[in-house]
Amino acid sequence: MATAEAIAEKKAVEGINSDYKEKFGFSDSEEGYAYKAPKGLNREIVESISEYKNEPEWMREFRLKAYENFENRPTPQWGGDLDQIDFNDIHYFVRASEKNSRDWSEVPEDIIKEHFGTIIPPNDNKLAALNSAVWSGGSFVYVPKGVKVEMPLQAYFRINTENMGQFERTLIIAEEGSEVHYIEGCTAPVYSSDSLHSAVVEIIAKDDAKVRYTTVQNWSQNVFNLVTKRAVAHERATMEWVDCNLGSKLTMKYPAIYLLGDGAHGEILSIAFAGNGQHQDAGGKIIHAAPNTTSSVFAKSISKDGGRSTYRGLLEIAGGATGTRSKVVCDALLLDEDSRSDTYPTIKVDESDADMGHEATVSKVGDDMLFYLQSRGLSEEEASKMIVNGFIEPVTKELPMEYAVELNRLIELQMEGSIG
């Protein structure tokens, strides 16, 4: 006789398989939710979130101030079309379970309160203000002085409710001489209506620290993915963003690094794949505010079936940042005549003792390349995949093996017109 656990597992698998067949996606039942806020956002909703989470008064005030900033700021009109978002058609807080393993009393107040919201303040931009008002969940990583975390820390974020807004926050503090690699994966089922993902990531790399933050996202095509990521690097610190963007209806994400200490180094590696009906508006920002700082931005984009990829970047060298060296490389690959690639680089140099370069290329998969590979026995589809894999190889080689394999597989599915 089957056990209750076996029966439950069988039903769960059957439900997932059925949903996958119907939607080419996945979702869980909403019956088990402990709390689900009504659609729309107002002051009462913000207060109820804080009360439900039993937060200290300073966090409640932080949320309410952020809500006022969100209400008073206009929707940005640059970049992607944000007027498509109906902010009143979103559930801003969903609690899946009552189970908690931690509470605020266990978090040292002098660490969270000192750094929380300092790198990205609530009034930074409209979407960061929204996150600050209604954020729920995320990650807090504190690496003590001299500690080197050998294994990557991994987190997984998933939108699991129709019309849901997901607003996680990540705060990483790497003390002097420490090292850490944080990896996040993001995904969502396919629903008939739109969802919103608006995250905030703040990173502090203190003297001689090294932080790498890797994102591999594969959102469904009805998700607005609007993320603010920013890091500060102090003396001789190294900060690296590795950003892989697949899926979503619209992505607007520009990881930033402020090089504040002498000898600090920053790197941004970015991949964006835009398919039919998608706009990947991504890039990066690096600000050199100290002498002898170095940086590189390496951005790759692929557009297919009428998809649109945009590189939007800022490189700024402040006065007094002597001995600075920086390089920006933007490469775009168009897979058909209907796709589009745009590049909007901004470079500001206020220091004569600096060395910087910018280069960009836009190319198509040419008939000559396909002919050469097909003459070696490959099919046209296999040849196209090989060209694309070679194009993104400089970024995928920086990923842990399992993530590199997964990213290549996801891109192969996109190339086949499938949903990964």
Side-chain angles (χ1 to χ4, degrees):
M1 184 174 180
T3 64
E5 290 81 4
I7 294 173
E9 183 179 357
K10 181 175 183 294
K11 288 183 177 179
V13 172
E14 289 174 349
I16 291 174
N17 288 341
S18 174
D19 190 59
Y20 182 83
K21 291 176 182 177
E22 291 179 8
K23 300 181 179 180
F24 299 98
F26 56 90
S27 63
D28 293 336
S29 169
E30 298 182 18
E31 295 177 0
Y33 287 145
Y35 177 75
K36 183 177 181 179
K39 290 182 179 180
L41 185 62
N42 53 46
R43 185 182 177 91
E44 288 70 29
I45 291 289
V46 176
E47 290 179 328
S48 69
I49 293 173
S50 188
E51 181 179 356
Y52 189 89
K53 295 169 70 66
N54 194 28
E55 294 176 338
E57 182 62 22
W58 71 265
M59 180 56 72
R60 176 179 175 275
E61 292 301 319
F62 178 88
R63 289 183 183 275
L64 291 174
K65 182 178 179 181
Y67 169 69
E68 292 176 4
N69 279 299
F70 171 73
E71 285 290 292
N72 294 330
R73 280 180 174 268
T75 300
Q77 297 302 306
W78 55 270
D81 182 9
L82 298 181
D83 291 332
Q84 303 175 73
I85 303 175
D86 184 353
F87 288 103
N88 292 318
D89 194 37
I90 298 292
H91 296 282
Y92 285 90
F93 181 63
V94 177
R95 171 60 63 83
S97 170
E98 289 284 6
K99 182 179 179 182
N100 287 304
S101 58
R102 294 287 187 269
D103 60 44
W104 278 95
S105 65
E106 298 179 43
V107 179
E109 186 171 332
D110 61 339
I111 297 177
I112 288 285
K113 188 174 181 180
E114 177 186 353
H115 297 289
F116 190 91
T118 58
I119 309 303
I120 303 175
N123 62 350
D124 186 83
N125 62 75
K126 187 176 181 72
L127 278 305
L130 177 62
N131 175 284
S132 299
V134 300
W135 76 274
S136 180
S139 303
F140 169 58
V141 177
Y142 178 78
V143 188
K145 180 179 179 180
V147 172
K148 293 178 171 54
V149 183
E150 299 295 335
M151 296 290 289
L153 306 178
Q154 302 182 58
Y156 175 68
F157 299 106
R158 172 179 170 186
I159 294 177
N160 196 50
T161 302
E162 193 165 9
N163 299 114
M164 175 182 171
Q166 182 164 294
F167 307 97
E168 81 274 4
R169 291 185 76 99
T170 301
L171 173 61
I172 299 176
I173 303 170
E175 291 286 358
E176 182 179 345
S178 65
E179 294 184 10
V180 65
H181 182 192
Y182 180 93
I183 305 176
E184 66 173 4
C186 309
T187 192
V190 179
Y191 291 114
S192 59
S193 54
D194 295 333
S195 299
L196 173 62
H197 175 247
S198 180
V200 164
V201 179
E202 300 175 291
I203 299 178
I204 300 170
K206 297 190 178 179
D207 294 358
D208 298 298
K210 182 176 181 179
V211 180
R212 171 174 283 194
Y213 193 105
T214 298
T215 300
V216 179
Q217 68 173 43
N218 184 35
W219 297 116
S220 58
Q221 294 190 20
N222 55 351
V223 173
F224 288 93
N225 181 38
L226 313 170
V227 179
T228 305
K229 292 182 170 182
R230 190 173 302 156
V232 295
H234 294 278
E235 288 193 12
R236 300 172 302 280
T238 296
M239 176 62 213
E240 300 170 342
W241 296 104
V242 181
D243 212 36
C244 306
N245 302 301
L246 288 87
S248 83
K249 190 175 197 175
L250 168 65
T251 288
M252 293 177 68
K253 188 200 305 183
Y254 323 99
I257 305 173
Y258 284 71
L259 301 172
L260 303 183
D262 193 319
H265 175 72
E267 292 185 17
I268 299 175
L269 300 172
S270 174
I271 291 177
F273 190 108
N276 183 36
Q278 296 177 321
H279 183 186
Q280 299 283 0
D281 197 309
K285 304 176 183 179
I286 294 184
I287 290 82
H288 292 260
N292 306 309
T293 49
T294 57
S295 70
S296 64
V297 178
F298 201 81
K300 297 273 191 176
S301 69
I302 304 166
S303 302
K304 175 180 178 287
D305 295 335
R308 180 183 178 187
S309 296
T310 301
Y311 169 79
R312 196 180 303 274
L314 169 65
L315 173 64
E316 183 171 348
I317 301 175
T322 56
T324 292
R325 301 191 313 275
S326 182
K327 184 177 183 180
V328 179
V329 179
C330 307
D331 296 328
L333 182 64
L334 300 176
L335 300 184
D336 53 65
E337 298 292 336
D338 299 320
S339 298
R340 173 176 172 181
S341 175
D342 304 294
T343 302
Y344 302 105
T346 300
I347 299 173
K348 299 179 180 179
V349 180
D350 293 322
E351 173 57 55
S352 58
D353 182 14
D355 183 358
M356 69 81 52
H358 177 273
E359 61 181 79
T361 64
V362 179
S363 58
K364 297 195 298 184
V365 176
D367 293 337
D368 54 343
M369 289 186 284
L370 291 174
F371 175 79
Y372 176 83
L373 292 172
Q374 287 179 266
S375 70
R376 265 50 179 180
L378 298 177
S379 67
E380 182 176 357
E381 182 177 339
E382 290 171 335
S384 297
K385 290 178 182 178
M386 180 174 287
I387 292 170
V388 170
N389 285 336
F391 180 75
I392 65 172
E393 189 268 342
V395 178
T396 56
K397 72 179 183 181
E398 297 297 328
L399 299 173
M401 179 62 70
E402 64 271 26
Y403 283 88
V405 171
E406 181 67 14
L407 180 63
N408 282 326
R409 178 57 181 152
L410 289 172
I411 289 180
E412 285 182 5
L413 290 171
Q414 294 282 353
M415 293 288 291
E416 295 169 1
S418 303
I419 297 177

